[in-house]
Amino acid sequence: MANIKIINPSVNDDIYAVQAGPEDEDAVRELILETARWLNSMGSIQWGGLLQGEDSHDLKGAIARGEVFAFRKAGEEELAGAVILQQEPSEWDRKLWGEAEAGKGNAVFLHRLVVNRQFSGKGLGGDIMAWAERGIQFAGKDRMKLDCIANNEKLNRFYKQCGYTYKGEAGGWSIYEKRLPDVRIH
């Protein structure tokens, strides 16, 4: 965890970020599952595997590595959101990006960005994306990579609005990349 440094815990005027610990695992997992259930209720198959018990991004291991960040409103215990920022590509990332691209070692892989439905529609997703790019540093990483289901037009539009470059489609998934500010490399 020494190669992760939170520069600014403030995500916006109300929400702050903390590195999730083992005590946060159940709350983060439940928020991710709530999001998967909501996506399912909207007709999306994205994250459907989670509802079958799959954990392709190893939440427990990601927490142990310090790669999960929880977002809360000051003075409240309930999570406003969470995100996984992996420093090494998962098997999933290698499948989507290809071994050569995923294995370069210069990227952070963003996964499982979730916003509590009570905070939806208030710009928190975009604030979390901006925080992941500027509020934290990862040694030797100069870009962020992420993916989303290709047929979710709203989500694809969101990532483009956040400044991510569409890099193509792999197996029904859109892949995106964004160069991080130079100040991040230390």
Side-chain angles (χ1 to χ4, degrees):
M1 287 196 270
N3 52 353
I4 299 173
K5 179 182 176 187
I6 293 179
I7 300 167
N8 182 359
S10 295
V11 175
N12 60 33
D13 290 341
D14 295 323
I15 306 294
Y16 68 94
V18 296
Q19 210 163 21
E23 69 280 3
D24 298 307
E25 182 180 350
D26 289 343
V28 171
R29 186 176 311 282
E30 184 53 34
L31 184 55
I32 290 171
L33 287 171
E34 283 176 19
T35 303
R37 288 189 286 269
W38 176 77
L39 286 167
N40 183 264
S41 76
M42 302 297 286
S44 176
I45 62 165
Q46 187 165 352
W47 295 9
L50 287 166
L51 300 176
Q52 310 305 318
E54 295 175 19
D55 184 6
S56 60
H57 296 298
D58 182 24
L59 180 62
K60 185 175 187 150
I63 287 173
R65 290 185 301 275
E67 297 175 338
V68 178
F69 297 88
F71 303 92
R72 289 187 172 88
K73 191 170 186 171
E76 293 186 14
E77 274 302 304
E78 186 174 20
L79 293 181
V83 69
I84 300 173
L85 299 172
Q86 293 182 320
Q87 297 180 79
E88 297 297 327
S90 65
E91 184 178 323
W92 174 261
D93 298 316
R94 291 178 190 284
K95 178 179 149 189
L96 289 182
W97 288 91
E99 186 64 40
E101 182 62 29
K104 286 183 178 177
N106 63 339
V108 174
F109 294 84
L110 185 146
H111 292 290
R112 304 290 191 231
L113 170 64
V114 291
V115 172
N116 184 319
R117 301 308 308 150
Q118 294 177 27
F119 292 87
S120 68
K122 299 175 183 174
L124 182 56
D127 290 346
I128 291 172
M129 293 293 292
W131 177 86
E133 297 161 17
R134 294 181 192 92
I136 188 168
Q137 286 183 333
F138 295 89
K141 307 296 182 180
D142 68 357
R143 65 199 63 230
M144 187 84 63
K145 294 179 182 272
L146 57 85
D147 63 85
C148 70
I149 197 162
N151 66 4
N152 185 329
E153 293 177 25
K154 185 176 180 181
L155 192 54
N156 279 272
R157 189 171 45 254
F158 170 72
Y159 289 129
K160 289 175 184 173
Q161 288 170 344
C162 289
Y164 282 74
T165 302
Y166 176 76
K167 303 301 275 186
E169 188 176 316
W173 299 90
S174 296
I175 54 176
Y176 290 91
E177 179 178 90
K178 184 176 186 179
R179 185 144 176 99
L180 297 170
D182 291 338
V183 68
R184 298 175 55 89
I185 300 175
H186 63 281

